[in-house]
Amino acid sequence: SLFTQVFGLSSVAQVVLGKGNTGQYLSINMAFGIGVTLGIYAAGGISGAHLNAAITITQWVLGNLSWTQLAAYIIGQFLGSFIAAATVFALYYDAIYDYTKGNLTVSGPTATAMIFSTYPAPSVSLQGAFFTEFTATVMLILGILVIHDEKNNGALKGAQPLLSGMLVLGIGLGMGLNTGYAINPSRDLPPRIFTAVAGWGMDVFTADHSWWWVPVAAPVLGCLTGVLIYKVCIDFHNEPDHETENKKEEAGTETS
């Protein structure tokens, strides 16, 4: 989470504080994609790269994780994300104060809270924003399952982190307008808590009709729904493992 968030949040800071001269929306998408790729490479061998609380909770619901693993992973994600927000704040401390003249706000012409957490676009209703986060997370989990499903056309193990980063890039390119695509409670809530403590105050929770709970709840529901869709539409139609193995062996023999 630390790896992913430092890349992602610093890219937003650079675009906002540089007033568009040091990056555009695309650079934010790319930085989050790179961050996710590096985060998965870093943590893949240890935990299977649990970087997203919504996916961790879904794995627990499916019975793949114990209570203790669930708690350990989520605490780890939240700590990493919180420290990343503090790191980016320290990194851009001078630029933030120069940009805001010391007035840290959630809205207005020199708003900076959105560097750290997501906020909905002014034109989007709360229901529309919720549906956006829900749908984007459905796409996220479907993509991850496709990339990692060895019974299907699963990607090579070493390429999985890169493809997962590209998946996040794709979601940002197509589904980021309404809400800034949080798609992950661990990406959104800890930096929001940091901004509340660091000078932005409780506005970060009350702004936009108390928006803060949407990037926490919608991704969890989106993940659970995405897994259900995948199981019904793809997983149940895959051949059992031993048949797949037999076919692979036969293919290997024919190649030889």
Side-chain angles (χ1 to χ4, degrees):
S1 275
L2 178 66
F3 229 163
T4 305
Q5 289 285 81
V6 168
F7 274 92
L9 299 184
S10 61
S11 71
V12 185
Q14 184 161 301
V15 170
V16 172
L17 302 173
K19 298 173 185 172
N21 297 320
T22 48
Q24 303 292 336
Y25 181 66
L26 176 61
S27 58
I28 296 172
N29 299 151
M30 291 177 73
F32 269 108
I34 291 165
V36 166
T37 298
L38 292 172
I40 297 171
Y41 274 124
I46 300 162
S47 68
H50 279 262
L51 305 176
N52 186 332
I55 294 174
T56 304
I57 290 165
T58 301
Q59 290 281 25
W60 172 72
V61 169
L62 293 171
N64 299 332
L65 294 177
S66 65
W67 264 110
T68 47
Q69 286 174 310
L70 174 74
Y73 287 155
I74 289 180
I75 290 167
Q77 290 163 17
F78 273 48
L79 278 175
S81 189
F82 188 89
I83 293 167
T87 303
V88 171
F89 181 67
L91 185 71
Y92 280 113
Y93 182 84
D94 294 336
I96 287 169
Y97 271 83
D98 178 61
Y99 182 79
T100 61
K101 305 293 182 279
N103 183 26
L104 305 178
T105 58
V106 175
S107 56
T110 57
T112 42
M114 74 290 199
I115 289 172
F116 299 93
S117 292
T118 63
Y119 292 87
S123 58
V124 182
S125 68
L126 200 61
Q127 296 92 321
F130 189 97
F131 183 67
T132 301
E133 283 294 325
F134 173 84
T135 307
T137 316
V138 168
M139 292 299 120
L140 175 72
I141 192 69
L142 284 174
I144 287 169
L145 290 168
V146 167
I147 290 164
H148 290 82
D149 190 348
E150 289 173 6
K151 289 188 291 182
N152 202 351
N153 292 325
L156 293 170
K157 203 163 174 38
Q160 287 171 351
L162 184 61
L163 291 167
S164 300
M166 286 176 67
L167 169 65
V168 172
L169 169 63
I171 290 169
L173 291 174
M175 286 173 265
L177 174 67
N178 289 347
T179 61
Y181 71 112
I183 57 175
N184 179 356
S186 313
R187 173 260 177 275
D188 201 79
L189 187 55
R192 197 179 297 276
I193 294 167
F194 173 79
T195 49
V197 175
W200 282 266
M202 294 308 288
D203 272 5
V204 299
F205 289 104
T206 56
D208 297 304
H209 309 291
S210 300
W211 153 260
W212 71 271
W213 65 271
V214 175
V216 176
V220 175
L221 291 172
C223 255
L224 290 165
T225 306
V227 168
L228 180 66
I229 292 168
Y230 192 81
K231 284 193 175 298
V232 170
C233 297
I234 296 174
D235 201 33
F236 290 153
H237 304 287
N238 276 336
E239 295 176 345
D241 284 347
H242 64 270
E243 285 183 26
T244 313
E245 287 304 315
N246 290 344
K247 284 200 170 177
K248 279 183 184 171
E249 281 170 24
E250 282 170 22
T253 310
E254 282 169 20
T255 310
S256 304

